[in-house]
Amino acid sequence: MNRASSSRLSELPQRVESNRMSMVYATPQSKQSFGKLNIPKPQSVTSERRTSFFGSRTSGAGMARNSTFGGTEKMKDPRPLHDKAYVQQCIRQLCEFLSEKGFPGSMTVKSLQSPSTKEFLKIFEFIYCLLDPTFQMPTSKVEEEVPRILKDLGYPFVLSKSSMYSVGAPHTWPQVLGAVVWLMDTVKIFCCMSDQDLLFADFSDGSTEIEDGVAFNKLFLDYTAETYNKFMQGADSFDEEDADYLAKLKRLYNVDEGLLASMEEKYRMLSDEVERLEKESQTDRLMVKRTEKVKLQTDLQKLQSYRSNLESFKANLENKASGLAEELEASGLQVETLKQEESRLQHILSTQKFTPADIERINWEKRELQQTINSLSKSLEQAEQHMWNEEIALAKAKETAEVKLAEYHKLARKLKLIPVSAENACGHDFEIRTSTEYGPSTMVQCRTQIQQLLRKLITDVDEECSRLTDMKLSLEESIEQVNSNISDKANDLKQLREQIRRLDEQLEQDMQDIAHEEQKWSAEMESVETHRKLLEKKVTLGYDESVEQLKAAQQHLFSLYTGTILSSKKPMRSGGLWLTTLPVC
């Protein structure tokens, strides 16, 4: 019986929700039977401390690792995110992934060089929906939500909230792109594992691949256990274990090294072709097409000129052929006449008797005629050979003239002398036609006219150059004078700044003295105030004591006075009442 894909080997808490698969127990999947095996290689860290997936490592070399979860030390991203080639590779992978998964919208490599925040959120929502189809991007606090989602998924590196405000900036896009590529790889692993069992899958049917079998799982578990034990003992690199594991996988899958080499070569060729096409797409194709159009028009003009020359040459040959045909016809008539003369002479010879002197004379005339025929034949062959040589020399001279004429026209176009409406033509025609359009006298006249115009143009250009040179010298003198004035002003400014600095220092010193005086005066005022309060307190106490003494003296005096009055009082009677005189105090 197959196990469910959500079964786990450990009772440790999950880093993500149960509907997502962790990368720790991911079994590498391959769609083809042959090809390069994608085996994750542990990263080697040269620093003394490193944060692993299971916790932090102690600083001492050779010490055992702490295998508890939840290390708080931040991990340093080992990926070369600041390497342009690596960033371009990640962008191409992301573009291919979006195209393969049916991203709703047009997304190219050029648009992913510096995307906007809105485009990044669309890409992130699309990729995350492949993990959770019910996910919807919130409308508020997106800069907090995206890093939180990546942290919940187990992204081992920190993505700041400030990077969400300017995603396409050159200093933030590589880190954001690294997070998106990590999320893309997570989706790929999840898609590969969603339809297959992770561990200990038995062969329930004949269509199950060997990668889901016990042999691969046992091999992978042995490799994981061995590397994890060495990792817990303090090792940072596992090259020997990787090589051994790769060799066992190749033996298990019967990997063909030759096929791998051929596929790598094919991949390299395709990569070079892609880079070439990208470079061509980045160039200005319109300018390239315009250049090609100009070249094709030049070639067309050359072909038309060559065609006209061929037609004129053909006409000359036809004229010569007609002349030779007439000469041949005249020679045929002459041969017929000679044949008739020969038959007549033969008839005369057959009807008449000749003497040996006549026969000798006839033979001598015959030899003379044969020699004449031979000499005329040689003269004709020499004439034909001479005519052929002259025609070849004429064709070469025409080709040389056409090349020089093309160079002249090219230079004239570069100097804007052709056509008549060009900038430097001044309404003159500097174009030279082929010799078939002109006669000999016309060619000389055209050459003289163009030379005069060119000499006049050169004279004008020299005058303009001398005028610009004089202007340049005057400007240089003005610049030197301005620079001298600037240097003088700079010296004055430097002196003024020095005076300002001295005044600032004097002011600061005066301020410090004033502050010191104020502190001194404040201390004196505090001491005087304290002394005044003490005096007031003493005066108050002395006054109170004096008042009490006065009261006591008054009471004593009053008692004495009262006693004296009582002892010497004399009562008086007034209207039947006794009055007693009392002292008024």
Side-chain angles (χ1 to χ4, degrees):
M1 180 181 294
N2 294 334
R3 292 190 178 190
S5 61
S6 62
S7 61
R8 304 175 66 242
L9 295 178
S10 174
E11 295 299 324
L12 294 172
Q14 290 184 347
R15 290 172 64 97
V16 296
E17 298 178 1
S18 59
N19 61 345
R20 304 183 184 93
M21 307 306 297
S22 176
M23 294 178 62
V24 179
Y25 309 108
T27 304
Q29 303 292 332
S30 62
K31 295 182 180 180
Q32 299 178 355
S33 299
F34 299 98
K36 185 179 292 185
L37 298 175
N38 186 11
I39 301 174
K41 182 176 180 181
Q43 298 291 337
S44 175
V45 182
T46 58
S47 61
E48 292 184 357
R49 295 182 60 84
R50 186 185 80 177
T51 300
S52 67
F53 177 78
F54 296 96
S56 61
R57 176 184 175 183
T58 57
S59 60
M63 298 291 291
R65 298 177 187 267
N66 185 8
S67 63
T68 59
F69 281 82
T72 59
E73 188 175 354
K74 294 183 180 179
M75 292 182 64
K76 183 177 180 182
D77 199 340
R79 297 173 295 181
L81 295 177
H82 295 287
D83 187 4
K84 293 184 179 179
Y86 180 77
V87 172
Q88 294 299 323
Q89 180 182 359
C90 293
I91 289 175
R92 286 195 294 270
Q93 292 178 359
L94 179 59
C95 186
E96 292 175 359
F97 176 79
L98 294 176
S99 301
E100 181 182 355
K101 296 299 181 180
F103 179 72
S106 60
M107 192 60 61
T108 61
V109 176
K110 186 176 182 180
S111 62
L112 289 176
Q113 297 294 330
S114 179
S116 61
T117 305
K118 186 177 180 181
E119 294 176 347
F120 164 73
L121 293 178
K122 287 183 179 180
I123 295 173
F124 183 85
E125 182 179 5
F126 174 75
I127 297 176
Y128 191 77
C129 285
L130 297 176
L131 292 174
D132 186 6
T134 61
F135 173 74
Q136 291 183 355
M137 182 64 68
T139 57
S140 62
K141 295 183 178 180
V142 180
E143 66 277 1
E144 298 179 0
E145 189 68 20
V146 172
R148 185 190 64 78
I149 292 174
L150 291 173
K151 184 177 180 182
D152 293 341
L153 286 176
Y155 185 60
F157 311 112
V158 178
L159 190 65
S160 62
K161 293 189 295 182
S162 61
S163 61
M164 295 292 102
Y165 293 104
S166 58
V167 174
H171 62 281
T172 58
W173 173 236
Q175 283 75 18
V176 177
L177 179 62
V180 174
V181 171
W182 180 87
L183 181 61
M184 179 186 68
D185 294 336
T186 304
V187 171
K188 288 181 181 179
I189 295 173
F190 175 75
C191 293
C192 291
M193 294 188 300
S194 59
D195 299 332
Q196 301 179 4
D197 295 336
L198 288 178
L199 301 172
F200 304 110
D202 50 1
F203 297 93
S204 59
D205 54 0
S207 62
T208 305
E209 296 182 359
I210 190 171
E211 192 171 7
D212 294 329
V214 179
F216 173 78
N217 290 321
K218 183 177 182 301
L219 187 62
F220 179 71
L221 287 177
D222 292 340
Y223 166 74
T224 306
E226 185 177 359
T227 54
Y228 180 70
N229 289 333
K230 289 192 175 182
F231 177 79
M232 295 301 295
Q233 293 175 3
D236 285 327
S237 60
F238 312 97
D239 296 336
E240 296 181 359
E241 289 76 6
D242 293 341
D244 189 15
Y245 180 59
L246 184 61
K248 291 180 180 179
L249 284 178
K250 288 181 178 179
R251 287 197 300 270
L252 179 63
Y253 291 107
N254 296 325
V255 177
D256 189 359
E257 296 290 341
L259 182 60
L260 283 176
S262 63
M263 293 183 70
E264 288 178 354
E265 182 66 21
K266 184 177 180 181
Y267 174 76
R268 184 184 62 79
M269 295 173 62
L270 292 175
S271 300
D272 296 339
E273 183 68 18
V274 169
E275 292 179 358
R276 186 183 64 79
L277 292 175
E278 288 180 353
K279 290 180 180 179
E280 290 181 357
S281 63
Q282 293 176 358
T283 56
D284 192 355
R285 299 181 63 186
L286 181 60
M287 185 60 67
V288 173
K289 294 298 182 182
R290 287 178 177 174
T291 307
E292 292 180 356
K293 181 181 177 181
V294 172
K295 291 181 180 179
L296 291 176
Q297 289 178 353
T298 305
D299 295 339
L300 180 61
Q301 292 177 358
K302 290 181 180 180
L303 287 174
Q304 291 176 354
S305 176
Y306 183 69
R307 179 183 176 184
S308 62
N309 293 334
L310 287 179
E311 289 178 354
S312 61
F313 183 70
K314 179 181 178 182
N316 293 331
L317 289 179
E318 288 178 352
N319 294 330
K320 292 179 181 179
S322 61
L324 291 174
E326 291 176 357
E327 291 179 359
L328 182 61
E329 185 177 358
S331 300
L333 294 176
Q334 187 178 1
V335 169
E336 290 293 333
T337 304
L338 291 174
K339 286 181 178 180
Q340 292 177 3
E341 183 67 21
E342 182 183 4
S343 61
R344 186 181 63 80
L345 293 174
Q346 188 68 28
H347 178 69
I348 292 172
L349 180 62
S350 59
T351 55
Q352 294 181 359
K353 294 180 180 180
F354 295 97
T355 61
D358 294 333
I359 294 173
E360 185 177 356
R361 181 176 56 80
I362 291 170
N363 290 333
W364 180 80
E365 291 178 355
K366 182 179 179 182
R367 288 194 296 270
E368 289 290 334
L369 291 173
Q370 188 65 36
Q371 291 177 359
T372 304
I373 292 171
N374 292 334
S375 62
L376 291 175
S377 299
K378 290 181 180 180
S379 299
L380 180 61
E381 290 177 358
Q382 290 177 359
E384 290 178 352
Q385 185 65 31
H386 181 68
M387 182 182 66
W388 177 252
N389 293 334
E390 290 295 331
E391 289 176 354
I392 292 175
L394 179 61
K396 289 182 179 180
K398 285 185 177 180
E399 290 178 358
T400 305
E402 288 176 358
V403 171
K404 291 183 179 180
L405 187 60
E407 292 178 354
Y408 167 76
H409 286 165
K410 182 178 180 181
L411 182 59
R413 288 189 181 91
K414 187 181 294 185
L415 296 175
K416 298 180 180 180
L417 297 175
I418 294 176
V420 180
S421 60
E423 180 179 355
N424 298 327
C426 299
H428 300 291
D429 188 9
F430 289 93
E431 187 175 1
I432 299 177
R433 274 77 177 182
T434 56
S435 60
T436 57
E437 300 177 7
Y438 298 108
S441 59
T442 309
M443 284 294 294
V444 174
Q445 183 180 0
C446 181
R447 178 181 178 183
T448 305
Q449 182 180 359
I450 291 175
Q451 284 180 352
Q452 291 177 356
L453 294 175
L454 288 176
R455 289 193 186 98
K456 182 179 178 183
L457 183 62
I458 290 171
T459 304
D460 296 338
V461 171
D462 290 338
E463 292 177 355
E464 184 69 18
C465 289
S466 62
R467 187 181 65 81
L468 292 176
T469 303
D470 296 337
M471 186 183 296
K472 179 183 176 183
L473 293 175
S474 62
L475 290 175
E476 287 179 352
E477 291 177 356
S478 302
I479 290 171
E480 288 179 358
Q481 186 177 1
V482 171
N483 290 332
S484 178
N485 295 332
I486 290 172
S487 62
D488 295 338
K489 296 296 181 182
N491 293 329
D492 297 340
L493 182 62
K494 186 176 180 182
Q495 293 177 0
L496 292 175
R497 287 179 178 173
E498 183 66 23
Q499 293 178 2
I500 292 170
R501 183 184 64 79
R502 292 176 181 175
L503 292 175
D504 290 339
E505 291 178 355
Q506 184 66 29
L507 179 62
E508 186 177 359
Q509 184 66 29
D510 294 341
M511 293 296 290
Q512 290 178 359
D513 295 340
I514 292 171
H516 183 67
E517 292 292 333
E518 288 180 354
Q519 292 178 358
K520 184 178 179 181
W521 292 343
S522 299
E524 291 180 358
M525 288 294 293
E526 289 178 356
S527 63
V528 170
E529 185 70 22
T530 305
H531 185 65
R532 185 186 64 81
K533 290 181 179 179
L534 183 61
L535 289 177
E536 287 180 353
K537 185 177 181 183
K538 289 182 180 181
V539 169
T540 303
L541 291 176
Y543 176 75
D544 292 339
E545 291 177 358
S546 300
V547 170
E548 289 178 357
Q549 290 178 2
L550 179 61
K551 287 182 179 180
Q554 288 178 354
Q555 290 179 359
H556 180 67
L557 181 62
F558 181 75
S559 62
L560 291 177
Y561 184 76
T562 304
T564 304
I565 293 300
L566 289 176
S567 63
S568 61
K569 72 177 180 177
K570 294 179 179 181
M572 292 184 299
R573 184 170 182 164
S574 177
L577 294 175
W578 292 91
L579 297 175
T580 303
T581 304
L582 295 175
V584 179
C585 296

